[in-house]
Amino acid sequence: NVIAFGGRIFNSDNPAKYVNSEQTPIYDKSKTLYGLDLNAVNIREEKQIILVEGYMDVISLAQSEIRFAVASLGTTLSKTQIQKMWNYSNTPLICFDGDDAGRKSSKNIALKCLEFLVPGKSFKFIKLPEGFDPDTFLKKYSKKKFFELMQSSYNLSDLVWQIMLESIDKPTPENIALLDQKIKLLSSKISNKIVSDEYFKFFIKKKNDYL
């Protein structure tokens, strides 16, 4: 059943690209994943799920016979949406556009996910080439090439480490002290104590290798 409407904005001064229905008792965008109803059977069969940025990415992937994609209806993910994806796959894939906005959104989601990590559940991130989105990538290359990107996707822990490294210029004593602070802060965001401890050890090893 239809629960809401959404559409692309054209010829408008509105900075938003899409407009959705207002929230109602049956439509809560923080609890909804676009495309999940139509792709659920394939997602279960493939045991994997890809989160993309918008409706058209889900549709273009389906047109290329990749029918295990969903889209959130906002710029971030809620706990409910994260757990919904984990119901289908232990390690969902995130595939956002290969531009500054897409990379920023991926980093925001990576930091958002930390709080909810539990043993055996995580995320991986597909890195599209600069200037590409899933639709343009598939049109220029192929489904096979897209699957190769999926195979070379990088771990959540590696992305979070990269985010921390980008916040310092050089490994000076002051910056290393700042890095230590960030390691403690981000590890402590993980509610699950076991996962939090493992992330702390992972980041400390990364820091020692970096030095």
Side-chain angles (χ1 to χ4, degrees):
N1 294 323
V2 175
I3 60 170
F5 293 94
R8 183 75 162 84
I9 297 175
F10 291 100
N11 301 321
S12 171
D13 294 331
N14 192 325
K17 288 175 66 176
Y18 293 93
V19 59
N20 296 322
S21 295
E22 296 291 332
Q23 298 229 143
T24 69
I26 62 168
Y27 170 60
D28 183 340
K29 66 181 181 180
S30 69
K31 297 179 180 178
T32 305
L33 290 168
Y34 176 80
L36 182 59
D37 57 331
L38 296 175
N39 287 338
V41 172
N42 290 300
I43 289 168
R44 287 192 184 95
E45 289 177 353
E46 299 287 343
K47 292 184 172 60
Q48 58 186 347
I49 185 169
I50 299 178
L51 179 77
V52 291
E53 286 195 51
Y55 323 122
M56 297 311 299
D57 294 316
V58 175
I59 292 168
S60 63
L61 286 171
Q63 289 173 335
S64 297
E65 298 183 346
I66 301 172
R67 296 187 175 91
F68 45 86
V70 297
S72 62
L73 298 166
T75 56
T76 187
L77 281 180
S78 68
K79 180 180 180 180
T80 300
Q81 289 169 323
I82 289 169
Q83 291 178 334
K84 271 189 177 183
M85 287 192 286
W86 278 340
N87 287 337
Y88 292 91
S89 170
N90 289 334
T91 314
L93 292 156
I94 310 289
C95 182
F96 283 1
D97 296 354
D99 57 14
D100 289 340
R103 286 188 288 271
K104 183 179 179 181
S105 294
S106 291
K107 291 173 183 177
N108 288 339
I109 283 179
L111 297 176
K112 172 82 172 181
C113 291
L114 288 176
E115 179 185 354
F116 310 112
L117 294 178
V118 293
K121 302 287 188 181
S122 190
F123 283 88
K124 284 192 171 185
F125 294 79
I126 297 171
K127 186 176 181 180
L128 288 172
E130 179 70 36
F132 282 87
D133 59 29
D135 181 50
T136 54
F137 183 87
L138 284 163
K139 285 177 179 174
K140 181 167 183 178
Y141 297 104
S142 64
K143 180 180 175 181
K144 180 183 176 183
K145 288 290 185 184
F146 188 80
F147 280 130
E148 288 175 4
L149 284 182
M150 288 172 55
Q151 292 297 319
S152 61
S153 58
Y154 49 101
N155 294 324
L156 169 63
S157 53
D158 291 322
L159 178 56
V160 175
W161 170 249
Q162 188 59 43
I163 292 169
M164 285 193 281
L165 273 191
E166 289 172 358
S167 67
I168 65 172
D169 295 324
K170 297 178 181 179
T172 62
E174 297 86 355
N175 284 336
I176 294 305
L178 177 62
L179 194 56
D180 283 333
Q181 281 187 340
K182 289 181 179 291
I183 287 172
K184 290 177 183 177
L185 175 64
L186 292 180
S187 298
S188 68
K189 282 190 172 184
I190 302 170
S191 299
N192 184 279
K193 182 70 166 57
I194 298 172
V195 180
S196 178
D197 290 345
E198 291 301 326
Y199 259 74
F200 181 79
K201 289 187 282 186
F202 173 85
F203 290 142
I204 291 297
K205 183 179 185 305
K206 282 284 192 181
K207 188 193 86 167
N208 292 336
D209 292 343
Y210 172 67
L211 298 176

